[in-house]
Amino acid sequence: MSRRRDEEHRLAPVVDRFADERVRSPKVASRISKAVAAAIKDSGQSREQIAAGMTAFLDESVTAGTLYQYSSEANERNNIPAHRLIALAMVTGDARLLNAALEGTPFVAVEARYEPLLRREVRKEQLKDLLQQEISEADAQWRASK
């Protein structure tokens, strides 16, 4: 394998995601429950520590028992609310939670530090499209004037 390919394999992903087999499910609620369980497990923190961090972040009570409910696929009545999913991502530092929730949509969650790069690339595409439109209109006018 070439050196460049080796380097590509060592680069961190731009969009953090769980491996498919860890969260695969045809149901969104089940996929999110699996992601919650995986993020808690991978965090290296106890459920009590995570619950305390979420409580501090949200300024509302979150218990370890509540986290058990959120991570249980069998408990379909206790899906994690969006604000608590965000708090869990913050406390665990795991953006994969957000991307598991967004799977199947045209959206992804990336670190905020990438926003200027995204804005630059979007503007480049918009300006390229605008330039192409201007060129096409000018060409059409030129051909019509002959």
Side-chain angles (χ1 to χ4, degrees):
M1 195 179 288
S2 72
R3 180 180 174 166
R4 180 166 182 206
R5 289 187 89 165
D6 285 342
E7 289 173 1
E8 287 175 2
H9 290 290
R10 289 185 295 212
L11 295 175
V14 175
V15 178
D16 292 327
R17 299 182 192 280
F18 288 106
D20 285 341
E21 63 274 3
R22 290 190 74 191
V23 296
R24 184 178 296 129
S25 177
K27 293 183 174 183
V28 174
S30 178
R31 182 177 62 242
I32 293 171
S33 292
K34 287 181 177 185
V36 168
I40 290 170
K41 180 179 180 183
D42 294 352
S43 75
Q45 300 178 66
S46 70
R47 288 178 188 265
E48 290 76 14
Q49 290 171 314
I50 293 170
M54 290 175 66
T55 296
F57 182 81
L58 295 169
D59 196 29
E60 65 182 54
S61 178
V62 179
T63 66
T66 302
L67 293 178
Y68 278 108
Q69 291 177 356
Y70 294 156
S71 62
S72 171
E73 287 182 78
N75 198 347
E76 293 182 7
R77 293 183 147 196
N78 288 304
N79 296 322
I80 188 167
H83 70 293
R84 288 190 172 193
L85 185 69
I86 293 166
L88 180 60
M90 289 298 298
V91 170
T92 61
D94 199 338
R96 297 176 302 172
L97 283 161
L98 303 174
N99 284 314
L102 292 169
E103 187 177 317
T105 74
F107 308 108
V108 295
V110 295
E111 290 182 43
R113 67 187 176 116
Y114 292 117
E115 186 176 2
L117 298 175
L118 293 168
R119 186 173 49 249
R120 178 191 70 195
E121 293 304 310
V122 167
R123 292 295 182 253
K124 282 171 49 178
E125 287 297 314
Q126 290 171 337
L127 289 171
K128 184 172 81 173
D129 292 345
L130 181 62
L131 178 60
Q132 188 56 52
Q133 180 181 347
E134 291 283 331
I135 289 170
S136 295
E137 289 173 4
D139 286 348
Q141 286 177 343
W142 174 251
R143 284 190 299 274
S145 70
K146 287 185 174 185

